[in-house]
Amino acid sequence: MAQVQRMSRLMVKTLRDDPADAETLSHKLLVRAGYVRRNAAGIWSWLPLGKKVLDNVSRVVREEMDAIGAQEVLLPALLPKEAYEASGRWEEYGDLLFRLKDRKGGDYLLGPTHEEIFTQTVKDQCSSYKDLPVMLYQIQTKYRDEARPRSGVLRGREFQMKDSYSFDTTDEGLAESYRLHREAYIKIFQRLGLDHRIVSAVSGAMGGSASEEFLAPAAAGEDTFADCPSCAYAANTEAVTFEAPPVADQQHGPVEELDTPDTPTIETLAAHLGVPAADTLKNLLVKVDGEIVAVGVPGHREVDLGKLGEHLAPAVVELVTAEDFQDRPDLVRGYVGPQGLEKVRYIADPRVAAGTAWITGANKPGKHARNVVAGRDFEVDDYLDVVVVEAGDPCPSCGAGLKLDRAIEIGHIFQLGRKYADTFQLDVLGQQGKPVRVTMGSYGIGVSRAVAALAEQSADEKGLCWSAEVAPADVHVVAAGKALQTELALDVAEKLNAAGVRVLVDDRPGVSPGVKFTDSELIGVPTILVAGRRSADGVLELKDRRTGEREELTVDEAIARIVG
């Protein structure tokens, strides 16, 4: 049986004021309520109350993973370079990867995800189709060297994550493993009390095909997702696709060169000519693995560099610099047009469809060109959906205008296919006596991030407000001052504890009732029981933290109500 948590002995220090560097609600409240403590940028300690919430989230995740037949393991966080070098991710992860050397000069990394190591583990342990399917998972500390760790535990350089992996001999088997994980995730987030959306996503550095994100809508979210108010469509903005409508058959005049001095931007060009920006063609120059590439989009839209990077992964995409223009005098900064470009790959958004006419750069200083027609005056090497999605863009499913919302990514599931199995030659002996290549799925939940997401969604102006499933206690008993009230509070706490209720009791001597009441609301346990002014009569006040509803009950009535 767990002991009563007495705040007179508990290492918890609450704060009246928000931390100076805190921007998000969860960051402010988790620090103020004594749940976490910052050690360095992106590195946090979980204090006793915070560790209980973290463990409760882990417990829910573990129970639902076990329920679908997944088996828990624990693999090392310190990993040898060779496996990640073989998959290409040693380079693909770039500066996000924590790299280190041992005393003998060997290269290692701190694992961001474990596809490679799980693949090697199954290769070592499974040799026959009879050994599959198998689903393995772990709850472990992960590491990413974030350039700008912020928002408390929402974006840290060290974080808790559940990562699981499925191994099947057929694509149908992979689809079933994916379905099981998807349903388990829905149950997990429902139990945790997280409002969430399932959206289409891109796989990124993980690789693979089918991919969905689980997003928790919140103002502090760093992800933007598109949601259709008219149908069930929802997607990360990087996964939203656009199909250009058919272009009307129209005759365009010949290319006309325009004198446009001092108009290197779309804004200055549109103002100079008195035309809408939508009539112009924006040509952004980037470097893809060092090679200059031009990206064309309508002038009133922006290029989504993240989306472009996902399309071109694993290649590295970066903006050109002034030095790049010096090396290529044929590229006139601010006046680039797709017509006549040499030795430059041209990528265009689908809106730059064949037959559309544009005002664009003439590849001469101070000059633009009108009636530059796609398919007539220039060719597009690749069409990629690369514009920043905006509210009102057509839904790919039904055509209605999309709305955009901010959210926190709390889970991501992938059908990896055979990417890693091919790399490590993961085969098993099939039913026909021949080797069969294994197909994989990868599934992640941000455990520590889920704590922050819960805080963001459920907190109010008074403090945290946990669901019963994750709260550090079931009931917070407050002794409002005098010895009689403290004695009654401790007695009730012990009786509740004996009945299997998790109890936090505020028995701190010398702390005013006002501070105790404020702390009980800040800490956020769902039920608050106060031994106050009517303690001598054996009457307590029962308060619902979320609704604020209060009720006076006798000790026996209060215990019966709480125990249920």
Side-chain angles (χ1 to χ4, degrees), residues 96-166:
L96 281 174
L97 205 61
F98 274 106
R99 297 173 172 85
L100 62 153
K101 290 182 180 289
D102 67 8
R103 66 181 66 196
K104 297 179 181 179
D107 289 308
Y108 292 82
L109 67 138
L110 296 176
T113 61
H114 276 62
E115 281 76 8
E116 291 86 348
I117 310 305
F118 270 87
T119 305
Q120 291 180 328
T121 300
V122 171
K123 182 179 175 67
D124 178 67
Q125 297 293 316
C126 301
S127 57
S128 167
Y129 74 93
K130 296 178 181 179
D131 300 324
L132 302 179
V134 66
M135 294 183 289
L136 304 174
Y137 78 96
Q138 63 178 348
I139 298 176
Q140 188 206 48
T141 302
K142 305 290 188 184
Y143 300 87
R144 291 196 185 113
D145 193 3
E146 296 283 356
R148 292 176 298 279
R150 57 193 180 276
S151 304
V153 298
L154 264 179
R155 181 169 288 277
R157 295 193 291 170
E158 177 185 277
F159 51 93
Q160 292 289 307
M161 179 178 171
K162 185 283 300 178
D163 53 326
S164 57
Y165 306 88
S166 63

Side-chain angles (χ1 to χ4, degrees), residues 489-564:
L490 290 173
D491 179 62
V492 171
E494 291 296 343
K495 290 178 179 177
L496 287 168
N497 185 62
V501 177
R502 299 173 301 134
V503 183
L504 173 67
V505 59
D506 193 344
D507 61 335
R508 292 175 294 177
V511 177
S512 71
V515 170
K516 289 183 178 181
F517 295 148
T518 299
D519 281 351
S520 69
E521 293 176 323
L522 176 63
I523 289 170
V525 172
T527 300
I528 300 170
L529 189 62
V530 180
R533 57 186 177 81
R534 295 195 61 190
S535 293
D537 301 325
V539 176
L540 305 170
E541 181 183 82
L542 185 67
K543 177 182 176 181
D544 186 293
R545 169 65 185 88
R546 187 174 299 279
T547 66
E549 294 178 359
R550 304 167 185 263
E551 185 178 2
E552 287 192 340
L553 300 169
T554 66
V555 170
D556 289 342
E557 289 172 339
I559 291 174
R561 179 76 61 81
I562 292 168
V563 172

Side-chain angles (χ1 to χ4, degrees), residues 334-351:
Y335 298 92
V336 172
Q339 70 285 5
L341 280 181
E342 295 182 0
K343 299 179 181 179
V344 175
R345 176 185 175 192
Y346 194 74
I347 294 172
D349 187 79
R351 295 164 179 84

Side-chain angles (χ1 to χ4, degrees), residues 461-473:
E461 70 281 359
K462 296 177 181 178
L464 298 164
C465 195
W466 302 112
S467 64
E469 191 80 71
V470 302

Side-chain angles (χ1 to χ4, degrees), residues 62-346:
R62 186 172 281 114
E63 288 172 358
E64 295 300 336
M65 292 305 299
D66 290 347
I68 64 170
Q71 304 172 56
E72 185 172 8
V73 298
L74 183 60
L75 303 188
L78 178 64
L79 304 170
K81 168 187 177 181
E82 288 75 16
Y84 285 76
E85 200 169 41
S87 68
R89 296 206 299 172
W90 177 262
E91 296 297 334
E92 288 172 23
Y93 259 103
D95 292 338
L96 281 174
L97 205 61
F98 274 106
R99 297 173 172 85
L100 62 153
K101 290 182 180 289
D102 67 8
R103 66 181 66 196
K104 297 179 181 179
D107 289 308
Y108 292 82
L109 67 138
L110 296 176
T113 61
H114 276 62
E115 281 76 8
E116 291 86 348
I117 310 305
F118 270 87
T119 305
Q120 291 180 328
T121 300
V122 171
K123 182 179 175 67
D124 178 67
Q125 297 293 316
C126 301
S127 57
S128 167
Y129 74 93
K130 296 178 181 179
D131 300 324
L132 302 179
V134 66
M135 294 183 289
L136 304 174
Y137 78 96
Q138 63 178 348
I139 298 176
Q140 188 206 48
T141 302
K142 305 290 188 184
Y143 300 87
R144 291 196 185 113
D145 193 3
E146 296 283 356
R148 292 176 298 279
R150 57 193 180 276
S151 304
V153 298
L154 264 179
R155 181 169 288 277
R157 295 193 291 170
E158 177 185 277
F159 51 93
Q160 292 289 307
M161 179 178 171
K162 185 283 300 178
D163 53 326
S164 57
Y165 306 88
S166 63
F167 299 85
D168 290 271
T169 56
T170 65
D171 293 339
E172 293 76 14
L174 170 58
E176 175 63 11
S177 296
Y178 186 90
R179 183 191 67 80
L180 288 171
H181 274 84
R182 193 179 193 273
E183 292 183 356
Y185 276 33
I186 292 171
K187 292 178 181 178
I188 288 168
F189 296 130
Q190 287 176 341
R191 286 182 61 184
L192 294 180
L194 274 168
D195 176 26
H196 67 279
R197 305 285 187 276
I198 306 174
V199 305
S200 300
V202 292
S203 299
M206 303 289 288
S209 53
S211 174
E212 290 177 295
E213 287 178 345
F214 290 74
L215 301 180
E222 293 185 336
D223 279 45
T224 302
F225 74 100
D227 200 12
C228 181
S230 299
C231 72
Y233 180 83
N236 186 300
T237 52
E238 292 185 356
V240 174
T241 59
F242 174 81
E243 290 188 14
V247 178
D249 189 12
Q250 184 178 354
Q251 295 298 315
H252 299 285
V255 174
E256 175 187 356
E257 189 172 286
L258 306 173
D259 188 23
T260 53
D262 302 318
T263 58
T265 67
I266 294 296
E267 291 76 15
T268 55
L269 174 64
H272 179 83
L273 296 177
V275 300
D279 289 352
T280 68
L281 179 62
K282 180 183 298 181
N283 299 288
L284 180 71
L285 297 182
V286 298
K287 289 189 293 186
V288 180
D289 282 347
E291 175 192 355
I292 292 181
V293 173
V295 182
V297 300
H300 67 304
R301 305 301 291 258
E302 298 295 329
V303 175
D304 188 330
L305 291 175
K307 212 171 186 179
L308 179 63
E310 295 289 355
H311 280 303
L312 301 178
V316 176
V317 178
E318 54 189 337
L319 293 173
V320 298
T321 63
E323 290 74 20
D324 295 316
F325 281 100
Q326 291 175 3
D327 296 337
R328 290 290 300 270
D330 57 314
L331 300 176
V332 183
R333 192 170 192 174
Y335 298 92
V336 172
Q339 70 285 5
L341 280 181
E342 295 182 0
K343 299 179 181 179
V344 175
R345 176 185 175 192
Y346 194 74

